[in-house]
Amino acid sequence: MRLELKDLHVHYGKIEAIKGISVVVNEGEIVTLIGANGAGKTTTLKTISGLRKVSSGQILFDGQDISNVPAHERVDLGISQAPEGRGIFPGMTVLENLEMGKFNRKDRKSEMDEDLDKVYTLFPRLKERATQAGGTLSGGEQQMLAIGRALMARPKVLLLDEPSMGLAPQMIANIFRIITEINKTGVTILLVEQNAQQALQRAHRAYILETGNVVKEAKASDLLNDPAVREAYLGTGAH
Amino acid sequence: MINLRDKGAQFWERSNRPVRVLTVFAIVAVVAALPYAGNTFLQTPVAAFDAVLVYPMGMFILMALGLNVVVGKSGMLDLGYVAFFAVGAYTMAILGTRTGLNTWEIMPIGIAAAMFAGVLLAIPTLRLRGDYLAIVTLGFGEIVRVSALNSEAIGGALGIAGVPFPPGLGFEYQLLDQKYFYWTIVVMILLVIWVIRRLTVRRPGRAWESIRQDEDAAELMGVSTYKYKIWAFVFGAAIGGGAGVFYASRSMVIAPDNFTLNTSILILACVVFGGMGNIWGVIVGAAILGYLPDRFRFLSDARLLLFGLVLVVFMNLRPEGILPRKKREKAIVKKGSGA
Ligand SMILES: Nc1ncnc2c1ncn2[C@@H]1O[C@H](COP(=O)(O)OP(=O)(O)OP(=O)(O)O)[C@@H](O)[C@H]1O
Ligand SMILES: [Mg+2]
């Protein structure tokens, strides 16, 4: 499994939000995409999951160009997204939300219990709240639900859009720990983050996005020590 | 205000099987006995009560149930729903007057024709969202009516007269005593309720629900939102078409005037008034909104004004309708169920 964006361009009407980026995510990696507000991170993820159309360029998944595959079929290929702002179903219970994650795999009943167990092990809180409406969960719980729901589809690649957004510091550390845990079970992860510090600590490699362009690609640990990056994204300047 | 929906749901939860069966029988018995209530305070001054039970009440309930699938369950605003009713009615009128086919033989044809119209409208428009969809469907409803108006082959403004009654099944359908029409429509409503309930606990219901709540998220879950939206639209159209066939066969005469934007809006009002997304609420809402204008006909022109006023006041008091949808729907797929 390998996910590759090749010279990808994406437009909103006439505005070009992604101006020809090339990104590679290898099997088993955690790759992070960092950048300022409006850099095009969310757009990139939405284009991979199929919610946005490619203007030109390719999305290669296992060597196949999937840029014309509709979003709902990309789930079946093994691409799952936990969307920005969580995108859970507010009127469904936690359990129903999780079941929705298996919408196309429902015929495999044995999987359901097994995967619910896995998600509940990662997020015990969700089990306690199984019958609570998604919309009444706290922000952090909704984030867990969004990730758990994405996992229900047994993805090969998990796309995470700012999982730490709006969370308390303790919770942030927790979410990132879980992301690493998920990765260790063999799920490849493409992580979009504002919290560059945490993301770079967890990721293997990183891309820096600026107004629709990739301006830097490197090992995450190198970026952590890069003075320019520290200045721009870690808010700590060079020591 | 007391929450009737929750009270009802609680009663149902707590009851055991015999009580439930009894309740259902009691409700069906009361509903079936309604045509005999014509001499009570329920009596409508101009039209006979049994006729009002058939139209508008029964018809409104059928149509509101169909429209509810589109608007209430899937969250698509359709302002041209009357078009499907018209297609069903015209299919009945044309075939009924020109071929030897009877109402029951025409029924599947009328439903198919309405579904076809639904697909025609859905394929180009369902990529639109919100306001745009409302405007396009509104236009579609008008196009169907105006086309009928301008087609001399189907009677133009005069419409089609002499549409035959349905053949009786050991009884005769009559104009002056509409009990049999009424009971037939009750059976149709029960059938529609049954089908809708079966669908809602299965994949289509879950898909519609997810689309209504968050369309992008639904797509990310693997729901083919476009396909399920078309399916909701076409299913709603089928119910409207079936209602139209029966309407034409009962009314004997149909004309484009029977299928104005007014009707679409009124049916939508039934759905909203009753409680969007909840079929029981929709039924109660349609029954009330179908009944009231006839009951207060003596107020003549002022009655519509009053009717509007009542709606405004009521919707302020209960914005979610008489029997709103459950805040948090029940676990739709239970583990191990055959859904
Ligand atoms: N629906 C839309 N219509 C028009 N322009 C859009 C739309 N969505 C995003 N954009 C624009 O595309 C650019 C990239 O947006 P995107 O949401 O991908 O940024 P981001 O990197 O995720 O930012 P943030 O960190 O704030 O979430 C922005 O300039 C934004 O204004
Ligand atoms: Mg974003």
Side-chain angles (χ1 to χ4, degrees), chain A residues 46 49 51 70-72 75-76 79 81 83 87-93 95-97 99-106 109 112-113 116 131-133 149, chain B residues 202-204 206-207 209-211 213-226 228 326-339:
Chain A
K46 281 187 173 170
S49 63
L51 292 179
H72 60 266
V75 191
D76 305 341
I79 302 174
Q81 184 184 357
I88 56 156
F89 300 110
M92 295 189 195
T93 64
L95 179 60
E96 286 161 358
N97 265 282
E99 286 170 344
M100 276 309 296
K102 255 199 177 355
F103 189 77
N104 283 344
R105 300 173 73 97
K106 271 215 326 259
K109 278 202 197 79
M112 184 63 89
D113 289 340
L116 278 175
T131 59
Q132 190 174 327
R149 192 183 59 178
Chain B
R202 286 179 158 70
R203 279 167 76 77
R206 287 165 61 83
E209 185 61 29
S210 66
I211 291 169
Q213 293 189 19
D214 189 332
E215 195 167 334
D216 278 348
E219 186 75 18
L220 287 178
M221 298 301 105
V223 177
S224 174
T225 55
Y226 186 54
Y228 278 105
K326 209 181 207 171
K327 272 285 154 33
R328 166 187 82 58
E329 317 262 355
K330 234 193 204 149
I332 300 171
V333 171
K334 300 218 173 65
K335 271 174 274 162
S337 80

Coordinates of all heavy atoms in Angstrom, one line a residue, chain A residues 46 49 51 70-72 75-76 79 81 83 87-93 95-97 99-106 109 112-113 116 131-133 149, chain B residues 202-204 206-207 209-211 213-226 228 326-339:
Chain A
K46 N -9.6 16.2 1.7 CA -10.9 16.0 1.1 C -10.7 15.5 -0.3 O -11.5 14.8 -0.8 CB -11.6 17.4 1.0 CG -12.3 17.7 2.3 CD -13.2 18.9 2.1 CE -14.0 19.2 3.4 NZ -14.7 20.5 3.3
S49 N -9.9 11.8 0.0 CA -11.1 11.0 0.3 C -12.2 11.1 -0.7 O -13.2 10.4 -0.7 CB -11.6 11.4 1.7 OG -12.1 12.7 1.7
L51 N -14.1 14.0 -1.6 CA -15.1 15.0 -1.4 C -14.9 16.2 -2.4 O -15.8 16.9 -2.7 CB -15.2 15.5 0.0 CG -15.7 14.5 1.1 CD1 -15.7 15.1 2.5 CD2 -17.1 13.9 0.7
P70 N -15.6 7.6 -7.1 CA -16.4 8.4 -6.2 C -16.0 8.2 -4.7 O -15.5 7.1 -4.3 CB -17.8 8.0 -6.4 CG -17.8 6.8 -7.3 CD -16.4 6.7 -7.9
A71 N -16.2 9.2 -3.9 CA -15.8 9.2 -2.5 C -16.3 7.9 -1.8 O -15.6 7.2 -1.1 CB -16.3 10.4 -1.7
H72 N -17.6 7.6 -2.0 CA -18.1 6.4 -1.2 C -17.5 5.1 -1.6 O -17.6 4.1 -0.9 CB -19.7 6.4 -1.3 CG -20.2 6.2 -2.7 ND1 -20.5 7.3 -3.5 CD2 -20.4 5.1 -3.5 CE1 -20.9 6.8 -4.7 NE2 -20.8 5.5 -4.7
V75 N -13.8 4.4 0.3 CA -13.9 3.8 1.7 C -13.6 2.3 1.5 O -12.9 1.7 2.2 CB -15.3 3.9 2.3 CG1 -15.2 3.5 3.8 CG2 -15.7 5.4 2.2
D76 N -14.2 1.7 0.5 CA -14.1 0.3 0.2 C -12.7 -0.1 -0.2 O -12.2 -1.2 0.1 CB -15.1 -0.2 -0.8 CG -16.5 0.2 -0.5 OD1 -16.8 0.5 0.7 OD2 -17.4 0.2 -1.4
I79 N -9.6 3.7 2.3 CA -9.2 5.1 2.7 C -10.4 5.6 3.5 O -11.5 5.7 3.1 CB -9.1 6.0 1.4 CG1 -8.0 5.4 0.5 CG2 -8.8 7.4 1.9 CD1 -7.9 6.2 -0.8
Q81 N -11.6 8.7 6.4 CA -11.3 10.1 6.9 C -12.1 10.4 8.1 O -13.3 10.1 8.2 CB -11.5 11.1 5.8 CG -11.1 12.5 6.2 CD -11.4 13.6 5.2 OE1 -12.0 13.3 4.1 NE2 -11.1 14.8 5.6
P83 N -13.2 13.6 9.5 CA -13.1 15.0 8.9 C -12.9 16.1 9.9 O -13.0 15.9 11.1 CB -14.5 15.1 8.3 CG -15.4 14.1 9.0 CD -14.5 13.0 9.5
G87 N -17.5 16.0 12.1 CA -18.4 15.5 11.1 C -19.1 14.2 11.6 O -19.4 13.3 10.8
I88 N -19.4 14.1 12.9 CA -20.2 13.0 13.3 C -21.7 13.2 13.1 O -22.1 14.3 12.8 CB -19.9 12.7 14.8 CG1 -20.3 13.9 15.6 CG2 -18.5 12.3 15.1 CD1 -20.6 13.6 17.0
F89 N -22.5 12.2 13.2 CA -23.9 12.4 13.0 C -24.6 12.7 14.4 O -24.6 11.9 15.2 CB -24.6 11.1 12.4 CG -24.0 10.7 11.1 CD1 -23.2 9.6 11.0 CD2 -24.2 11.5 10.0 CE1 -22.6 9.2 9.8 CE2 -23.6 11.1 8.8 CZ -22.9 10.0 8.7
P90 N -25.0 14.0 14.5 CA -25.4 14.4 15.8 C -26.6 13.7 16.4 O -26.8 13.6 17.6 CB -25.6 15.9 15.6 CG -25.9 16.1 14.2 CD -25.0 15.0 13.5
G91 N -27.5 13.3 15.5 CA -28.8 12.7 15.9 C -28.7 11.2 16.1 O -29.7 10.6 16.4
M92 N -27.5 10.6 15.8 CA -27.4 9.2 16.0 C -26.6 9.0 17.3 O -25.8 9.8 17.7 CB -26.6 8.6 14.9 CG -27.4 8.7 13.5 SD -26.5 7.6 12.3 CE -27.3 8.2 10.8
T93 N -26.8 7.8 17.9 CA -26.1 7.5 19.1 C -24.6 7.2 18.8 O -24.3 7.0 17.6 CB -26.6 6.3 19.9 OG1 -26.5 5.2 19.0 CG2 -28.1 6.5 20.2
L95 N -23.1 4.4 19.3 CA -23.1 3.1 18.7 C -23.6 3.2 17.2 O -22.9 2.6 16.3 CB -24.0 2.2 19.4 CG -24.1 0.7 18.9 CD1 -22.8 0.1 18.8 CD2 -25.1 -0.1 19.7
E96 N -24.6 3.9 17.0 CA -25.1 4.1 15.6 C -24.1 4.8 14.7 O -23.9 4.4 13.5 CB -26.4 4.9 15.5 CG -27.6 4.1 16.0 CD -28.8 5.0 16.4 OE1 -28.7 6.2 16.4 OE2 -29.8 4.4 16.8
N97 N -23.4 5.8 15.2 CA -22.3 6.4 14.5 C -21.2 5.4 14.1 O -20.8 5.3 13.0 CB -21.7 7.5 15.3 CG -22.3 8.9 15.0 OD1 -21.9 9.5 14.0 ND2 -23.2 9.3 15.9
E99 N -21.6 2.2 13.9 CA -22.2 1.3 12.9 C -22.2 1.8 11.5 O -22.0 1.1 10.5 CB -23.6 0.8 13.3 CG -23.6 -0.1 14.5 CD -25.0 -0.3 15.0 OE1 -25.9 0.4 14.7 OE2 -25.2 -1.3 15.8
M100 N -22.4 3.2 11.4 CA -22.3 3.8 10.1 C -21.0 3.7 9.5 O -20.9 3.6 8.3 CB -22.6 5.3 10.2 CG -24.1 5.7 10.3 SD -25.1 5.1 9.0 CE -24.4 5.8 7.5
G101 N -20.0 3.6 10.3 CA -18.6 3.4 9.8 C -18.4 2.1 9.0 O -17.5 2.0 8.2
K102 N -19.3 1.2 9.2 CA -19.3 -0.1 8.6 C -20.4 -0.2 7.5 O -20.8 -1.3 7.2 CB -19.5 -1.2 9.6 CG -18.2 -1.9 9.9 CD -18.5 -3.2 10.6 CE -17.2 -4.0 10.9 NZ -16.0 -3.4 10.4
F103 N -20.9 0.9 7.0 CA -22.1 0.9 6.2 C -21.9 -0.1 5.0 O -22.9 -0.8 4.7 CB -22.3 2.3 5.6 CG -23.6 2.4 4.9 CD1 -24.8 2.5 5.6 CD2 -23.7 2.4 3.5 CE1 -26.0 2.6 5.0 CE2 -24.9 2.5 2.8 CZ -26.1 2.6 3.6
N104 N -20.8 -0.2 4.4 CA -20.6 -1.1 3.3 C -20.1 -2.4 3.7 O -19.8 -3.3 2.8 CB -19.7 -0.4 2.2 CG -20.5 0.6 1.4 OD1 -21.7 0.7 1.5 ND2 -19.7 1.5 0.8
R105 N -19.9 -2.7 4.9 CA -19.3 -4.0 5.3 C -20.3 -4.7 6.3 O -19.9 -5.6 7.0 CB -18.0 -3.8 6.0 CG -17.0 -3.1 5.2 CD -15.7 -2.8 6.0 NE -15.0 -4.0 6.3 CZ -13.9 -4.4 5.6 NH1 -13.5 -3.7 4.6 NH2 -13.3 -5.5 5.9
K106 N -21.5 -4.3 6.3 CA -22.4 -4.8 7.3 C -22.7 -6.3 7.2 O -23.1 -6.9 8.1 CB -23.8 -4.0 7.2 CG -23.8 -2.8 8.1 CD -25.1 -2.6 8.7 CE -26.2 -3.0 7.7 NZ -26.9 -1.9 7.0
K109 N -21.0 -9.8 9.7 CA -21.5 -9.5 11.1 C -20.4 -9.8 12.1 O -20.4 -9.1 13.1 CB -22.7 -10.4 11.4 CG -24.0 -9.7 10.8 CD -25.2 -10.3 11.5 CE -26.4 -9.9 10.6 NZ -26.6 -10.9 9.5
M112 N -18.4 -6.8 13.1 CA -19.0 -5.7 13.9 C -18.6 -5.8 15.3 O -18.0 -4.8 15.8 CB -20.5 -5.8 13.7 CG -21.2 -4.6 14.4 SD -20.8 -3.0 13.6 CE -22.0 -2.9 12.3
D113 N -18.8 -6.9 16.0 CA -18.5 -7.0 17.4 C -17.0 -6.8 17.6 O -16.5 -6.1 18.6 CB -19.0 -8.3 18.0 CG -20.5 -8.3 18.1 OD1 -21.1 -7.2 18.1 OD2 -21.1 -9.4 18.1
L116 N -16.0 -3.2 17.1 CA -16.5 -2.4 18.2 C -15.7 -2.5 19.4 O -15.3 -1.6 20.1 CB -18.0 -2.8 18.5 CG -19.1 -2.2 17.6 CD1 -20.4 -2.7 18.0 CD2 -19.1 -0.7 17.7
T131 N -25.0 4.8 24.2 CA -26.3 5.1 23.8 C -26.6 6.6 23.8 O -27.7 7.1 23.7 CB -27.3 4.5 24.8 OG1 -27.0 4.9 26.1 CG2 -27.2 2.9 24.7
Q132 N -25.6 7.4 24.0 CA -25.7 8.9 24.0 C -25.7 9.4 22.6 O -25.0 8.9 21.8 CB -24.6 9.5 24.9 CG -24.8 11.0 25.2 CD -23.7 11.5 26.1 OE1 -23.3 10.8 27.0 NE2 -23.4 12.7 25.9
A133 N -26.5 10.5 22.4 CA -26.5 11.1 21.0 C -25.2 11.7 20.7 O -24.6 12.4 21.6 CB -27.6 12.1 20.9
R149 N -15.1 5.8 14.4 CA -16.0 5.5 13.3 C -15.2 5.3 12.0 O -15.5 4.4 11.3 CB -16.9 6.7 13.1 CG -18.1 6.5 12.2 CD -18.9 7.7 12.0 NE -18.1 8.8 11.4 CZ -18.6 10.0 11.1 NH1 -19.9 10.2 11.3 NH2 -17.8 10.9 10.6
Chain B
R202 N -33.9 -0.6 7.5 CA -32.9 -1.2 6.7 C -31.9 -0.1 6.1 O -32.0 1.0 6.5 CB -33.5 -2.0 5.5 CG -34.1 -3.2 6.0 CD -34.8 -4.0 4.8 NE -35.0 -5.4 5.1 CZ -35.8 -5.9 6.0 NH1 -36.5 -5.1 6.7 NH2 -35.9 -7.2 6.2
R203 N -31.0 -0.6 5.2 CA -30.0 0.3 4.7 C -30.5 1.7 4.2 O -30.0 2.7 4.5 CB -29.2 -0.4 3.6 CG -28.2 -1.3 4.1 CD -27.7 -2.2 3.0 NE -26.8 -1.5 2.1 CZ -25.5 -1.3 2.4 NH1 -25.0 -1.6 3.6 NH2 -24.7 -0.7 1.6
P204 N -31.6 1.7 3.4 CA -32.1 3.0 2.9 C -32.4 3.9 4.0 O -32.0 5.1 3.9 CB -33.3 2.7 2.1 CG -33.2 1.2 1.7 CD -32.4 0.6 2.8
R206 N -31.1 4.1 7.0 CA -29.9 4.6 7.6 C -29.2 5.5 6.7 O -28.6 6.6 7.2 CB -28.9 3.4 7.9 CG -29.4 2.5 9.1 CD -28.6 1.2 9.1 NE -27.2 1.4 9.2 CZ -26.5 1.5 10.3 NH1 -27.2 1.5 11.4 NH2 -25.2 1.6 10.3
A207 N -29.2 5.2 5.4 CA -28.5 6.1 4.5 C -29.2 7.5 4.4 O -28.6 8.5 4.5 CB -28.5 5.5 3.1
E209 N -31.0 8.9 6.7 CA -30.8 9.6 8.0 C -29.4 10.2 8.0 O -29.3 11.4 8.4 CB -30.9 8.5 9.1 CG -30.8 9.1 10.5 CD -31.9 10.1 10.8 OE1 -33.0 10.0 10.3 OE2 -31.7 11.0 11.6
S210 N -28.4 9.5 7.5 CA -27.1 10.0 7.6 C -26.9 11.2 6.6 O -26.3 12.2 6.9 CB -26.0 8.9 7.3 OG -26.2 8.5 5.9
I211 N -27.6 11.1 5.4 CA -27.6 12.1 4.5 C -28.2 13.4 5.0 O -27.7 14.5 4.9 CB -28.3 11.7 3.2 CG1 -27.5 10.7 2.4 CG2 -28.5 12.9 2.2 CD1 -28.3 10.0 1.3
Q213 N -28.4 14.3 8.1 CA -27.6 14.8 9.2 C -26.3 15.4 8.7 O -25.9 16.4 9.3 CB -27.4 13.8 10.3 CG -28.6 13.4 11.0 CD -28.4 12.5 12.2 OE1 -27.3 12.5 12.8 NE2 -29.4 11.8 12.7
D214 N -25.6 14.8 7.8 CA -24.4 15.3 7.3 C -24.0 14.6 6.0 O -23.5 13.5 6.0 CB -23.3 15.2 8.4 CG -22.0 15.9 8.0 OD1 -21.7 16.1 6.8 OD2 -21.2 16.3 8.9
E215 N -24.3 15.3 4.9 CA -24.1 14.6 3.6 C -22.7 14.2 3.3 O -22.4 13.1 2.8 CB -24.7 15.5 2.5 CG -24.9 14.8 1.3 CD -25.7 15.5 0.3 OE1 -26.5 16.4 0.7 OE2 -25.6 15.3 -0.9
D216 N -21.7 15.1 3.6 CA -20.3 14.8 3.4 C -19.9 13.6 4.2 O -19.2 12.7 3.7 CB -19.4 16.0 3.6 CG -19.4 16.9 2.5 OD1 -19.9 16.6 1.4 OD2 -18.9 18.1 2.6
A217 N -20.3 13.6 5.5 CA -19.9 12.5 6.4 C -20.5 11.2 5.9 O -19.9 10.2 5.9 CB -20.3 12.8 7.8
A218 N -21.7 11.3 5.4 CA -22.4 10.1 4.9 C -21.6 9.5 3.7 O -21.3 8.3 3.7 CB -23.8 10.4 4.4
E219 N -21.1 10.4 2.8 CA -20.3 9.9 1.7 C -19.0 9.3 2.2 O -18.6 8.3 1.7 CB -20.1 11.2 0.8 CG -19.4 10.9 -0.5 CD -20.3 10.3 -1.6 OE1 -21.5 10.3 -1.5 OE2 -19.7 9.7 -2.5
L220 N -18.4 9.9 3.2 CA -17.2 9.3 3.8 C -17.4 7.9 4.4 O -16.5 7.1 4.5 CB -16.6 10.2 4.8 CG -16.0 11.5 4.3 CD1 -15.5 12.4 5.5 CD2 -14.8 11.2 3.3
M221 N -18.6 7.7 4.8 CA -18.9 6.3 5.4 C -19.2 5.3 4.3 O -19.4 4.1 4.6 CB -20.2 6.4 6.3 CG -20.1 7.3 7.5 SD -18.8 6.9 8.6 CE -17.6 8.1 8.2
G222 N -19.2 5.7 3.1 CA -19.4 4.8 2.0 C -20.9 4.8 1.5 O -21.3 3.9 0.8
V223 N -21.6 5.8 1.9 CA -23.0 5.9 1.5 C -23.0 6.6 0.1 O -22.5 7.7 0.0 CB -23.9 6.7 2.4 CG1 -25.3 6.8 1.9 CG2 -23.9 6.1 3.8
S224 N -23.6 5.9 -0.9 CA -23.7 6.6 -2.2 C -24.8 7.6 -2.1 O -26.0 7.3 -2.4 CB -24.0 5.5 -3.3 OG -24.2 6.2 -4.5
T225 N -24.5 8.8 -1.7 CA -25.5 9.8 -1.3 C -26.4 10.1 -2.6 O -27.6 10.2 -2.4 CB -24.9 11.1 -0.8 OG1 -24.0 11.5 -1.8 CG2 -24.2 10.8 0.5
Y226 N -25.8 10.2 -3.7 CA -26.5 10.5 -4.9 C -27.6 9.4 -5.2 O -28.8 9.7 -5.4 CB -25.6 10.6 -6.1 CG -26.2 11.1 -7.4 CD1 -26.9 12.3 -7.4 CD2 -26.0 10.4 -8.6 CE1 -27.5 12.7 -8.6 CE2 -26.5 10.8 -9.7 CZ -27.3 12.0 -9.8 OH -27.8 12.4 -11.0
Y228 N -28.9 7.2 -3.1 CA -29.9 7.1 -2.1 C -30.9 8.3 -2.1 O -32.0 8.2 -1.8 CB -29.3 6.9 -0.7 CG -28.9 5.5 -0.4 CD1 -27.6 5.1 -0.4 CD2 -29.9 4.6 -0.2 CE1 -27.3 3.8 -0.2 CE2 -29.6 3.2 0.1 CZ -28.3 2.8 0.0 OH -28.0 1.5 0.3
K326 N -38.0 11.6 17.0 CA -37.3 11.3 18.2 C -36.0 12.1 18.1 O -35.3 12.2 17.0 CB -36.9 9.8 18.1 CG -36.8 9.2 19.5 CD -36.4 7.8 19.3 CE -36.8 6.9 20.4 NZ -36.6 5.5 20.1
K327 N -35.6 12.7 19.2 CA -34.3 13.5 19.2 C -33.2 12.6 18.8 O -32.3 13.0 18.0 CB -34.1 14.1 20.6 CG -34.8 15.4 20.7 CD -34.0 16.5 20.0 CE -34.9 17.7 19.6 NZ -36.0 18.0 20.5
R328 N -33.2 11.4 19.3 CA -32.1 10.5 19.1 C -32.7 9.2 18.6 O -33.4 8.6 19.4 CB -31.3 10.3 20.4 CG -30.4 9.2 20.4 CD -29.8 9.0 21.8 NE -30.7 8.3 22.6 CZ -31.1 7.1 22.4 NH1 -30.7 6.5 21.3 NH2 -31.9 6.4 23.2
E329 N -32.6 8.9 17.4 CA -33.3 7.8 16.8 C -32.7 6.5 17.5 O -31.6 6.4 17.9 CB -33.1 7.7 15.3 CG -33.2 9.0 14.6 CD -34.6 9.3 14.1 OE1 -35.4 8.4 14.1 OE2 -34.8 10.4 13.6
K330 N -33.6 5.5 17.6 CA -33.2 4.3 18.2 C -32.1 3.6 17.4 O -31.9 3.8 16.2 CB -34.5 3.4 18.1 CG -34.8 2.8 19.5 CD -35.8 1.7 19.3 CE -36.7 1.5 20.5 NZ -38.0 1.1 20.1
A331 N -31.4 2.7 18.1 CA -30.4 1.9 17.4 C -31.0 1.3 16.2 O -31.9 0.5 16.3 CB -29.8 0.9 18.3
I332 N -30.7 1.7 15.0 CA -31.4 1.3 13.8 C -31.0 -0.2 13.5 O -31.9 -1.0 13.2 CB -31.2 2.2 12.7 CG1 -31.6 3.6 13.0 CG2 -31.9 1.8 11.4 CD1 -31.2 4.7 12.1
V333 N -29.8 -0.4 13.5 CA -29.4 -1.8 13.3 C -29.0 -2.4 14.6 O -28.0 -2.0 15.2 CB -28.2 -1.9 12.3 CG1 -27.7 -3.3 12.2 CG2 -28.6 -1.4 10.9
K334 N -29.8 -3.4 15.0 CA -29.4 -4.1 16.2 C -28.4 -5.2 15.8 O -28.6 -5.8 14.8 CB -30.6 -4.6 16.9 CG -31.6 -3.5 17.3 CD -32.2 -3.8 18.6 CE -33.1 -2.6 19.0 NZ -34.2 -2.4 18.2
K335 N -27.5 -5.4 16.7 CA -26.6 -6.5 16.4 C -27.3 -7.8 16.2 O -28.2 -8.1 17.0 CB -25.5 -6.6 17.5 CG -24.3 -5.7 17.2 CD -23.4 -5.8 18.4 CE -23.9 -4.7 19.4 NZ -23.3 -5.0 20.8
G336 N -26.9 -8.5 15.2 CA -27.5 -9.9 15.0 C -28.9 -9.8 14.3 O -29.4 -10.9 14.0
S337 N -29.5 -8.6 14.1 CA -30.7 -8.6 13.4 C -30.5 -8.8 11.9 O -29.4 -8.7 11.4 CB -31.4 -7.3 13.6 OG -30.9 -6.3 12.8
G338 N -31.5 -9.2 11.2 CA -31.3 -9.5 9.8 C -31.2 -8.3 8.9 O -31.2 -8.5 7.7
A339 N -31.2 -7.1 9.5 CA -31.2 -5.9 8.6 C -30.0 -5.8 7.7 O -29.0 -6.3 8.0 CB -31.3 -4.7 9.5

